[in-house]
Amino acid sequence: MAEGYVVVERDDTGRVFRVPVVPQGERDARDDIQAIPISQSPWGLIAVWGSIGHVLSDLFLPAGYPASVSPDYLEYQIYNALQAFCNSVSGLLASRGALEGVGVGNASASATHALLLTVLKDAFSRFTTIIAAYCFGTSLYPETKTFRFLADVFNDASTVLDTVVPYIGAIHLSESWPIIPTGATLQIIALCLSGALRSLCVLVAGGSKAALTNHFASPLTGKGDVGEVSAKDASRETVVGLSGMLLGTLLIPYVNTRTSTYAILAILVGGHLLFNYLAVHCVVLRTLNRQRACILWTDFRISSGMFKDRMLSPADVASKELVFGIPDCLRDASTGRVIGRCTLGTSMQTVTSRCTALHIVSAFQIFDEERYVLFIADRKGRIPHPPKILVSFKSGYRSTDQLQAWVHSIEVARYLTDRTDPTPTADALRSTLLATQKAIPHFVQSMIDAGWETADDSMMLGSPNHLILGVDKNLHSVEIDEKEAKKDQ
């Protein structure tokens, strides 16, 4: 063999996958390229043991893994594959039940009847999609983990309804309880409800999955490829789905009694929810939402003007975060108690119905230089316990203003909760505003040092539907009687 060069080629993860020899000479080197046999290559042992893994990695993992994805990517994908497998098998049970529910296997049923049931079910699904998009649209991205798990709860509820539809038809209680619909009517209701839940699952899962894909395509250093991550996710889900369908095809013919159907369904649904919870719980998001911001602030703040030397890392917060946390809940991370509630982006119509006129005017004066206004709800002259805080944003607000408003709301709630004597609402707002303004720059810098993403598009604290465009001080007047003024002061 002629003397030549040994060229070591590596892929984007640093693994050796080809070692060609290029003979020297005047001829075109491309005509004489030879591959060193694996046994002769110094990297041969690595090539032998890594060839299968290399092929699988190229097929199912993003290019550049693990450097191109977040550290929690693999653990999440393992749990996600297990839950998808359980869902694929249980989906066959649900499909069989749904087909029997529309009349398949029933000699007295007609194709027209089955078609009308399908149309009715589809109509409920479409209307549910429209309503759910209006109700949950602005919350899907910030509350990713909650809605990702909630999507599978909807999916499993739909699966259970589809599976039990054939058995619902055997219910005959109308003679004893005339109010209860007949079995056929209950079947129609179950099918429509199943379709509505399924559409809810698709909508919620789609929105939350987009946020998770962006997270996984954001490694600690650099930037990954969102399209590549999404494509490989679809590739893995296809393989897992086919595997589940194969096993389900072998299993379903033997599951033909009510007892066996319920037993298998309970195991699959239980496994599906368990793996989904583990998958969601292991995700370590580095962006903010209301719950994570509340955990960070209440842990970081020791007392007024005093803070810890170290901010919680994203992994620390992920271990404290509740999957089903209530977004508007102000919770003290050190004690776990609820100290108040806060609604971001409140309309002025709601504010005027919950607060006194004097308090509204005082709040506008206090927050004249800020891009947000805090109001404390008043019930019949008394502040509810825990306090309810309403936040309205002014035109031109930024995400940092949302963060400051949320932190300020926590301080106001703590101020009102810790005091036993009646406190004027204006004093509570004014005394906490200056301390919050001074603390926010240090708080944000500490988050950056701890590995949190604090860019404007990362502070996901909600999308207000109402904005204050301005307040005309010359034309705006509020009449306040002496009794109401004394009450607020």
Side-chain angles (χ1 to χ4, degrees):
M1 180 180 295
E3 294 182 359
Y5 296 101
V6 176
V7 180
V8 180
E9 294 186 356
R10 300 176 184 273
D11 64 5
D12 46 12
T13 64
R15 293 172 299 186
V16 177
F17 68 95
R18 191 169 69 250
V19 186
V21 171
V22 182
Q24 292 180 341
E26 297 181 356
R27 292 180 301 171
D28 191 346
R30 292 175 296 179
D31 297 334
D32 295 320
I33 293 179
Q34 301 175 9
I36 294 180
I38 291 177
S39 59
Q40 298 179 16
S41 170
W43 292 274
L45 185 59
I46 298 177
V48 170
W49 292 104
S51 59
I52 298 178
H54 179 70
V55 172
L56 293 177
S57 176
D58 288 343
L59 287 175
F60 302 116
L61 292 177
Y65 173 86
S68 61
V69 294
S70 59
D72 54 356
Y73 178 79
L74 183 60
E75 184 178 3
Y76 174 85
Q77 296 303 332
I78 291 174
Y79 289 129
N80 189 54
L82 292 173
Q83 67 86 16
F85 182 83
C86 293
N87 183 56
S88 179
V89 179
S90 62
L92 292 179
L93 288 173
S95 297
R96 184 179 69 176
L99 290 173
E100 293 179 359
V102 297
V104 175
N106 186 356
S108 61
S110 65
T112 302
H113 178 263
L115 176 63
L116 292 177
L117 284 180
T118 304
V119 170
L120 182 62
K121 180 179 179 180
D122 188 61
F124 269 86
S125 300
R126 294 176 186 274
F127 279 115
T128 302
T129 300
I130 297 172
I131 297 173
Y134 171 78
C135 296
F136 302 133
T138 58
S139 302
L140 293 178
Y141 207 87
E143 307 302 331
T144 302
K145 299 173 76 171
T146 298
F147 282 103
R148 177 64 187 88
F149 185 74
L150 194 61
D152 293 293
V153 174
F154 292 146
N155 177 76
D156 287 338
S158 175
T159 299
V160 170
L161 283 175
D162 282 341
T163 305
V164 302
V165 158
Y167 306 114
I168 294 178
I171 298 177
H172 296 287
L173 299 175
S174 57
E175 296 181 359
S176 303
W177 293 281
I179 300 178
I180 298 179
T182 61
T185 305
L186 289 176
Q187 276 188 319
I188 297 175
I189 295 174
L191 285 172
C192 294
L193 183 58
S194 170
L197 291 171
R198 188 81 66 184
S199 64
L200 268 177
C201 169
V202 172
L203 175 73
V204 172
S208 57
K209 186 177 180 180
L212 287 175
T213 301
N214 286 333
H215 163 69
F216 291 135
S218 302
L220 296 179
T221 57
K223 180 66 176 179
D225 189 340
V226 176
E228 170 76 0
V229 172
S230 180
K232 292 302 173 65
D233 285 350
S235 178
R236 284 192 306 272
E237 290 175 1
T238 300
V239 174
V240 173
L242 289 174
S243 302
M245 290 176 61
L246 177 60
L247 178 61
T249 303
L250 300 176
L251 179 66
I252 290 298
Y254 301 98
V255 184
N256 47 25
T257 64
R258 184 177 302 186
T259 302
S260 60
T261 299
Y262 289 165
I264 296 296
L265 183 64
I267 294 173
L268 293 173
V269 169
H272 183 234
L273 291 176
L274 173 62
F275 291 132
N276 265 293
Y277 177 81
L278 294 175
V280 170
H281 192 265
C282 77
V283 174
V284 181
L285 295 174
R286 302 190 300 276
T287 53
L288 293 177
N289 67 355
R290 283 170 283 184
Q291 183 181 179
R292 288 189 285 275
C294 192
I295 294 174
L296 283 171
W297 175 257
T298 55
D299 180 86
F300 187 61
R301 176 192 182 278
I302 299 175
S303 62
S304 180
M306 298 183 62
F307 306 94
K308 291 183 178 180
D309 296 332
R310 176 182 174 275
M311 172 75 70
L312 290 176
S313 67
D316 296 331
V317 173
S319 64
K320 298 174 177 289
E321 191 175 3
L322 300 176
V323 174
F324 279 119
I326 302 175
D328 67 348
C329 183
L330 302 175
R331 189 183 302 272
D332 191 333
S334 58
T335 62
R337 66 178 180 136
V338 176
I339 60 176
R341 294 186 178 278
C342 175
T343 301
L344 296 177
T346 309
S347 67
M348 284 308 301
Q349 290 183 345
T350 303
V351 171
T352 54
S353 65
R354 301 290 300 276
C355 306
T356 62
L358 178 61
H359 174 66
I360 295 175
V361 173
S362 299
F364 275 119
Q365 294 173 350
I366 295 171
F367 294 94
D368 185 55
E369 301 297 327
E370 302 296 327
R371 292 190 180 92
Y372 68 92
V373 185
L374 258 63
F375 305 97
I376 302 174
D378 186 331
R379 287 185 180 177
K380 298 180 180 180
R382 300 183 61 183
I383 299 175
H385 184 81
K388 174 70 174 179
I389 300 170
L390 309 175
V391 180
S392 296
F393 292 99
K394 300 178 183 179
S395 180
Y397 80 97
R398 298 174 299 178
S399 294
T400 51
D401 298 312
Q402 283 190 329
L403 178 62
Q404 180 174 328
W406 184 252
V407 168
H408 192 181
S409 300
I410 299 173
E411 288 301 297
V412 171
R414 190 196 299 271
Y415 182 91
L416 295 174
T417 303
D418 292 342
R419 297 177 68 94
T420 56
D421 57 315
T423 304
T425 55
D427 291 347
L429 296 177
R430 189 178 293 105
S431 62
T432 54
L433 175 59
L434 183 59
T436 303
Q437 290 173 332
K438 292 181 178 180
I440 281 296
H442 178 49
F443 180 56
V444 173
Q445 184 58 48
S446 298
M447 285 194 297
I448 295 174
D449 296 339
W452 289 93
E453 298 179 8
T454 57
D456 281 353
D457 58 349
S458 299
M459 295 187 180
M460 303 178 300
L461 302 176
S463 300
N465 295 321
H466 302 272
L467 293 177
I468 298 175
L469 299 179
V471 178
D472 194 329
K473 299 179 181 179
N474 296 324
L475 298 179
H476 179 68
S477 60
V478 182
E479 296 182 1
I480 308 168
D481 57 21
E482 294 182 358
K483 182 178 180 181
E484 184 179 7
K486 292 180 181 179
K487 181 196 312 178
D488 197 68
Q489 293 176 353

